[in-house]
Amino acid sequence: MKSLAELNALKEKLKSNTANSKEKGEGTKIIVGMATCGIAAGAKPVMAALKEEINVRHVENVKVAQAGCIGICQYEPVVEVYEPGKEKVTYVKMDAEKAKKVIDEHIINGKIIVEYTIGSVTTTNSQKQ
């Protein structure tokens, strides 16, 4: 950036891209935390299982991507599901088998697997104390 005008032009371009994405009704996004903590906890096999299951089941309009640290390292591997018009669902302490089940039950059949979510895990932990 060499000037404020260039920065403002970039800002407008990004706002336009965001608006276009919303208008296109882009599909579901599945984000896997792949920072060092996530990888150490097993995020790579989780991501591979998600991608494989989507391909094998021919699920359309779903993207799997990685992010850095999601910020809840004690619950890694973490998978976040973003569906248009719905609240984000955060799955924690994932493994490859759970990932496949998320694709089947949540993504394909629309049923959140509550016992895999952060709300379920944090409630269980607070009840133990």
Side-chain angles (χ1 to χ4, degrees), residues 30-51:
I30 302 173
I31 307 296
V32 181
M34 294 284 280
T36 305
C37 53
I39 292 169
K44 284 185 178 183
V46 169
M47 185 152 185
L50 290 166
K51 288 181 174 183

PDB file of all heavy atoms in Angstrom, residues 30-51:
ATOM      1  N   ILE A  30     -16.594 -26.210   6.282  1.00  0.00           N
ATOM      2  CA  ILE A  30     -16.093 -26.964   7.424  1.00  0.00           C
ATOM      3  C   ILE A  30     -14.636 -26.556   7.618  1.00  0.00           C
ATOM      4  O   ILE A  30     -13.823 -26.718   6.714  1.00  0.00           O
ATOM      5  CB  ILE A  30     -16.208 -28.481   7.187  1.00  0.00           C
ATOM      6  CG1 ILE A  30     -17.666 -28.870   6.922  1.00  0.00           C
ATOM      7  CG2 ILE A  30     -15.642 -29.249   8.385  1.00  0.00           C
ATOM      8  CD1 ILE A  30     -17.849 -30.315   6.505  1.00  0.00           C
ATOM      9  N   ILE A  31     -14.340 -26.025   8.782  1.00  0.00           N
ATOM     10  CA  ILE A  31     -13.006 -25.529   9.080  1.00  0.00           C
ATOM     11  C   ILE A  31     -12.366 -26.423  10.138  1.00  0.00           C
ATOM     12  O   ILE A  31     -12.959 -26.693  11.177  1.00  0.00           O
ATOM     13  CB  ILE A  31     -13.050 -24.073   9.604  1.00  0.00           C
ATOM     14  CG1 ILE A  31     -13.821 -23.167   8.636  1.00  0.00           C
ATOM     15  CG2 ILE A  31     -11.652 -23.552   9.892  1.00  0.00           C
ATOM     16  CD1 ILE A  31     -13.200 -23.009   7.272  1.00  0.00           C
ATOM     17  N   VAL A  32     -11.133 -26.858   9.868  1.00  0.00           N
ATOM     18  CA  VAL A  32     -10.388 -27.693  10.807  1.00  0.00           C
ATOM     19  C   VAL A  32      -9.223 -26.871  11.354  1.00  0.00           C
ATOM     20  O   VAL A  32      -8.456 -26.293  10.584  1.00  0.00           O
ATOM     21  CB  VAL A  32      -9.845 -28.962  10.109  1.00  0.00           C
ATOM     22  CG1 VAL A  32      -9.087 -29.834  11.096  1.00  0.00           C
ATOM     23  CG2 VAL A  32     -10.974 -29.748   9.457  1.00  0.00           C
ATOM     24  N   GLY A  33      -9.114 -26.816  12.677  1.00  0.00           N
ATOM     25  CA  GLY A  33      -7.998 -26.120  13.309  1.00  0.00           C
ATOM     26  C   GLY A  33      -6.706 -26.894  13.079  1.00  0.00           C
ATOM     27  O   GLY A  33      -6.569 -28.020  13.542  1.00  0.00           O
ATOM     28  N   MET A  34      -5.778 -26.291  12.328  1.00  0.00           N
ATOM     29  CA  MET A  34      -4.545 -26.988  11.962  1.00  0.00           C
ATOM     30  C   MET A  34      -3.298 -26.247  12.436  1.00  0.00           C
ATOM     31  O   MET A  34      -2.255 -26.301  11.798  1.00  0.00           O
ATOM     32  CB  MET A  34      -4.486 -27.175  10.441  1.00  0.00           C
ATOM     33  CG  MET A  34      -5.545 -28.095   9.886  1.00  0.00           C
ATOM     34  SD  MET A  34      -5.196 -29.812  10.176  1.00  0.00           S
ATOM     35  CE  MET A  34      -4.013 -30.095   8.877  1.00  0.00           C
ATOM     36  N   ALA A  35      -3.406 -25.579  13.587  1.00  0.00           N
ATOM     37  CA  ALA A  35      -2.199 -25.016  14.185  1.00  0.00           C
ATOM     38  C   ALA A  35      -1.404 -26.168  14.804  1.00  0.00           C
ATOM     39  O   ALA A  35      -1.846 -27.322  14.761  1.00  0.00           O
ATOM     40  CB  ALA A  35      -2.574 -23.977  15.242  1.00  0.00           C
ATOM     41  N   THR A  36      -0.281 -25.870  15.377  1.00  0.00           N
ATOM     42  CA  THR A  36       0.575 -26.914  15.952  1.00  0.00           C
ATOM     43  C   THR A  36      -0.197 -27.772  16.959  1.00  0.00           C
ATOM     44  O   THR A  36      -0.080 -28.996  16.955  1.00  0.00           O
ATOM     45  CB  THR A  36       1.802 -26.280  16.634  1.00  0.00           C
ATOM     46  OG1 THR A  36       2.457 -25.450  15.676  1.00  0.00           O
ATOM     47  CG2 THR A  36       2.752 -27.329  17.137  1.00  0.00           C
ATOM     48  N   CYS A  37      -1.010 -27.129  17.793  1.00  0.00           N
ATOM     49  CA  CYS A  37      -1.763 -27.873  18.805  1.00  0.00           C
ATOM     50  C   CYS A  37      -2.758 -28.825  18.160  1.00  0.00           C
ATOM     51  O   CYS A  37      -2.924 -29.976  18.597  1.00  0.00           O
ATOM     52  CB  CYS A  37      -2.469 -26.924  19.761  1.00  0.00           C
ATOM     53  SG  CYS A  37      -3.494 -25.669  18.947  1.00  0.00           S
ATOM     54  N   GLY A  38      -3.433 -28.385  17.120  1.00  0.00           N
ATOM     55  CA  GLY A  38      -4.396 -29.238  16.424  1.00  0.00           C
ATOM     56  C   GLY A  38      -3.722 -30.404  15.728  1.00  0.00           C
ATOM     57  O   GLY A  38      -4.187 -31.550  15.814  1.00  0.00           O
ATOM     58  N   ILE A  39      -2.628 -30.137  15.062  1.00  0.00           N
ATOM     59  CA  ILE A  39      -1.897 -31.193  14.364  1.00  0.00           C
ATOM     60  C   ILE A  39      -1.380 -32.224  15.366  1.00  0.00           C
ATOM     61  O   ILE A  39      -1.511 -33.432  15.156  1.00  0.00           O
ATOM     62  CB  ILE A  39      -0.750 -30.601  13.516  1.00  0.00           C
ATOM     63  CG1 ILE A  39      -1.344 -29.782  12.359  1.00  0.00           C
ATOM     64  CG2 ILE A  39       0.167 -31.698  12.994  1.00  0.00           C
ATOM     65  CD1 ILE A  39      -0.335 -28.937  11.610  1.00  0.00           C
ATOM     66  N   ALA A  40      -0.836 -31.746  16.487  1.00  0.00           N
ATOM     67  CA  ALA A  40      -0.318 -32.657  17.514  1.00  0.00           C
ATOM     68  C   ALA A  40      -1.434 -33.532  18.094  1.00  0.00           C
ATOM     69  O   ALA A  40      -1.198 -34.682  18.469  1.00  0.00           O
ATOM     70  CB  ALA A  40       0.362 -31.867  18.626  1.00  0.00           C
ATOM     71  N   ALA A  41      -2.651 -33.005  18.134  1.00  0.00           N
ATOM     72  CA  ALA A  41      -3.784 -33.744  18.692  1.00  0.00           C
ATOM     73  C   ALA A  41      -4.455 -34.670  17.672  1.00  0.00           C
ATOM     74  O   ALA A  41      -5.342 -35.428  18.032  1.00  0.00           O
ATOM     75  CB  ALA A  41      -4.810 -32.760  19.259  1.00  0.00           C
ATOM     76  N   GLY A  42      -4.066 -34.570  16.386  1.00  0.00           N
ATOM     77  CA  GLY A  42      -4.617 -35.465  15.377  1.00  0.00           C
ATOM     78  C   GLY A  42      -5.503 -34.828  14.333  1.00  0.00           C
ATOM     79  O   GLY A  42      -6.343 -35.495  13.724  1.00  0.00           O
ATOM     80  N   ALA A  43      -5.336 -33.544  14.074  1.00  0.00           N
ATOM     81  CA  ALA A  43      -6.191 -32.844  13.112  1.00  0.00           C
ATOM     82  C   ALA A  43      -5.994 -33.294  11.667  1.00  0.00           C
ATOM     83  O   ALA A  43      -6.934 -33.249  10.878  1.00  0.00           O
ATOM     84  CB  ALA A  43      -5.976 -31.339  13.218  1.00  0.00           C
ATOM     85  N   LYS A  44      -4.770 -33.742  11.308  1.00  0.00           N
ATOM     86  CA  LYS A  44      -4.544 -34.159   9.915  1.00  0.00           C
ATOM     87  C   LYS A  44      -5.436 -35.345   9.517  1.00  0.00           C
ATOM     88  O   LYS A  44      -6.085 -35.297   8.473  1.00  0.00           O
ATOM     89  CB  LYS A  44      -3.065 -34.466   9.671  1.00  0.00           C
ATOM     90  CG  LYS A  44      -2.219 -33.224   9.540  1.00  0.00           C
ATOM     91  CD  LYS A  44      -0.776 -33.551   9.189  1.00  0.00           C
ATOM     92  CE  LYS A  44       0.034 -32.285   9.005  1.00  0.00           C
ATOM     93  NZ  LYS A  44       1.411 -32.587   8.601  1.00  0.00           N
ATOM     94  N   PRO A  45      -5.512 -36.420  10.317  1.00  0.00           N
ATOM     95  CA  PRO A  45      -6.417 -37.515   9.953  1.00  0.00           C
ATOM     96  C   PRO A  45      -7.891 -37.089   9.953  1.00  0.00           C
ATOM     97  O   PRO A  45      -8.680 -37.598   9.163  1.00  0.00           O
ATOM     98  CB  PRO A  45      -6.160 -38.589  11.017  1.00  0.00           C
ATOM     99  CG  PRO A  45      -4.858 -38.251  11.635  1.00  0.00           C
ATOM    100  CD  PRO A  45      -4.666 -36.777  11.460  1.00  0.00           C
ATOM    101  N   VAL A  46      -8.242 -36.141  10.820  1.00  0.00           N
ATOM    102  CA  VAL A  46      -9.623 -35.632  10.857  1.00  0.00           C
ATOM    103  C   VAL A  46      -9.938 -34.927   9.543  1.00  0.00           C
ATOM    104  O   VAL A  46     -10.976 -35.180   8.918  1.00  0.00           O
ATOM    105  CB  VAL A  46      -9.840 -34.695  12.063  1.00  0.00           C
ATOM    106  CG1 VAL A  46     -11.173 -33.968  11.964  1.00  0.00           C
ATOM    107  CG2 VAL A  46      -9.749 -35.483  13.365  1.00  0.00           C
ATOM    108  N   MET A  47      -9.037 -34.062   9.111  1.00  0.00           N
ATOM    109  CA  MET A  47      -9.253 -33.335   7.856  1.00  0.00           C
ATOM    110  C   MET A  47      -9.316 -34.303   6.677  1.00  0.00           C
ATOM    111  O   MET A  47     -10.186 -34.168   5.809  1.00  0.00           O
ATOM    112  CB  MET A  47      -8.161 -32.298   7.630  1.00  0.00           C
ATOM    113  CG  MET A  47      -8.393 -31.442   6.411  1.00  0.00           C
ATOM    114  SD  MET A  47      -7.610 -29.852   6.654  1.00  0.00           S
ATOM    115  CE  MET A  47      -8.128 -29.008   5.191  1.00  0.00           C
ATOM    116  N   ALA A  48      -8.423 -35.272   6.648  1.00  0.00           N
ATOM    117  CA  ALA A  48      -8.421 -36.266   5.564  1.00  0.00           C
ATOM    118  C   ALA A  48      -9.733 -37.046   5.544  1.00  0.00           C
ATOM    119  O   ALA A  48     -10.309 -37.283   4.475  1.00  0.00           O
ATOM    120  CB  ALA A  48      -7.238 -37.214   5.720  1.00  0.00           C
ATOM    121  N   ALA A  49     -10.235 -37.426   6.718  1.00  0.00           N
ATOM    122  CA  ALA A  49     -11.494 -38.179   6.791  1.00  0.00           C
ATOM    123  C   ALA A  49     -12.675 -37.340   6.311  1.00  0.00           C
ATOM    124  O   ALA A  49     -13.555 -37.851   5.605  1.00  0.00           O
ATOM    125  CB  ALA A  49     -11.738 -38.663   8.220  1.00  0.00           C
ATOM    126  N   LEU A  50     -12.706 -36.060   6.679  1.00  0.00           N
ATOM    127  CA  LEU A  50     -13.783 -35.177   6.215  1.00  0.00           C
ATOM    128  C   LEU A  50     -13.787 -35.077   4.692  1.00  0.00           C
ATOM    129  O   LEU A  50     -14.834 -35.244   4.052  1.00  0.00           O
ATOM    130  CB  LEU A  50     -13.634 -33.778   6.830  1.00  0.00           C
ATOM    131  CG  LEU A  50     -13.903 -33.652   8.329  1.00  0.00           C
ATOM    132  CD1 LEU A  50     -13.379 -32.324   8.850  1.00  0.00           C
ATOM    133  CD2 LEU A  50     -15.389 -33.803   8.615  1.00  0.00           C
ATOM    134  N   LYS A  51     -12.605 -34.810   4.120  1.00  0.00           N
ATOM    135  CA  LYS A  51     -12.509 -34.676   2.657  1.00  0.00           C
ATOM    136  C   LYS A  51     -12.874 -35.979   1.956  1.00  0.00           C
ATOM    137  O   LYS A  51     -13.596 -35.972   0.956  1.00  0.00           O
ATOM    138  CB  LYS A  51     -11.101 -34.232   2.267  1.00  0.00           C
ATOM    139  CG  LYS A  51     -10.803 -32.799   2.601  1.00  0.00           C
ATOM    140  CD  LYS A  51      -9.398 -32.419   2.157  1.00  0.00           C
ATOM    141  CE  LYS A  51      -9.129 -30.943   2.349  1.00  0.00           C
ATOM    142  NZ  LYS A  51      -7.806 -30.556   1.849  1.00  0.00           N
TER     143      LYS A  51
END
